[in-house]
Amino acid sequence: MSHDHGAGGHHPGELSDGEVRARALESLFREKGYIKGNVVDEIIDTYTHDIGPLNGARAVAKAWVDPDYRERLLADATSALKELGIGGLQGEHMVAVPNTDDVHNVVVCTLCSCYPWPVLGLPPRWYKDAPYRARVVREPRKVLAEFGTTLPDETNIQVWDSSAEVRYLVVPQRPAGTEGLNEEDLVPLITRDSMIGVTLPAVPSEAVAK
Ligand code: FE
């Protein structure tokens, strides 16, 4: 049986280089008195439980049911998100890009891992990985297919490269079969990945049954 974990691989229970460095920094900061108590755990907990993709999903659901809000979101996402109390660090300049029948949008940070934290919460691991960052620009259709997203050949795929200045939110199209759903019921259909643009929103089970 092969026991090769590859470069940078590590056994379960062992810490990766990044984890070791993070812990070393945390102990150093603690020793110097820069951080006290559970502040690091609290920040992680906040991003895991309180600030998540639900924020972005609330904005997209509102844009689906309220054409005026959609217009404001597309014109100035930063202030439209602020209307819902969404904003802050890493989300100071947001741009919302709408999917249409002709254009599908997908977001990447080719340089590092810039990501709209206050809107989508913790970035997925693959978003920060070199293969996604390089390949989604070169062969977006193929990368999307690997996420299970097959688009019609005539749909153009627009790739948006995030930066320290601008972070993007993909506004997916409202799925067919959701006409009877209200804003609150639409929220769970709008997944994190659909707002990065690698997938489409979930289709409600009632729509599938029809
Ligand atoms: Fe980056």
Side-chain angles (χ1 to χ4, degrees), residues 108-115 127 133 161-164 167:
V108 66
C109 175
T110 54
L111 272 183
C112 42
S113 54
C114 299
Y115 188 77
Y127 185 86
R133 288 159 40 209
D161 194 359
S162 313
S163 69
R167 312 289 164 100

Side-chain angles (χ1 to χ4, degrees), residues 21-185:
R21 294 176 80 90
R23 292 207 183 181
L25 282 171
E26 184 182 341
S27 342
L28 179 66
F29 287 160
R30 202 171 283 287
E31 204 173 291
K32 298 274 183 198
Y34 298 147
I35 51 177
K36 292 192 170 71
N38 296 322
V39 66
V40 174
D41 290 335
E42 280 165 18
I43 290 170
I44 293 170
D45 194 65
T46 299
Y47 273 102
T48 310
H49 300 292
D50 301 334
I51 307 178
L54 189 59
N55 277 348
R58 278 165 53 216
V60 171
K62 191 170 176 60
W64 282 354
V65 300
D66 177 350
D68 291 337
Y69 183 76
R70 178 187 164 89
E71 212 167 288
R72 293 201 296 282
L73 185 67
L74 300 185
D76 179 352
T78 315
S79 45
L81 288 162
K82 203 172 282 171
E83 285 179 40
L84 305 182
I86 304 164
L89 223 57
Q90 312 291 311
E92 295 93 341
H93 189 174
M94 291 296 306
V95 171
V97 286
N99 288 347
T100 65
D101 288 337
D102 303 320
V103 180
H104 179 91
N105 299 284
V106 59
V107 181
V108 66
C109 175
T110 54
L111 272 183
C112 42
S113 54
C114 299
Y115 188 77
W117 287 64
V119 183
L120 296 184
L122 293 170
R125 173 153 279 190
W126 52 260
Y127 185 86
K128 300 181 269 183
D129 284 347
Y132 174 75
R133 288 159 40 209
R135 291 184 56 229
V136 77
V137 178
R138 235 174 27 230
E139 43 185 19
R141 205 169 285 276
K142 202 169 163 197
V143 171
L144 291 188
E146 287 164 20
F147 278 95
T149 307
T150 314
L151 299 169
D153 286 341
E154 36 318 341
T155 304
N156 287 306
I157 302 177
Q158 173 83 52
V159 181
W160 298 88
D161 194 359
S162 313
S163 69
E165 285 77 39
V166 183
R167 312 289 164 100
Y168 297 94
L169 169 70
V170 174
V171 181
Q173 284 183 293
R174 182 171 175 168
T178 61
E179 293 74 14
L181 299 184
N182 64 22
E183 188 176 332
E184 195 186 330
D185 294 332

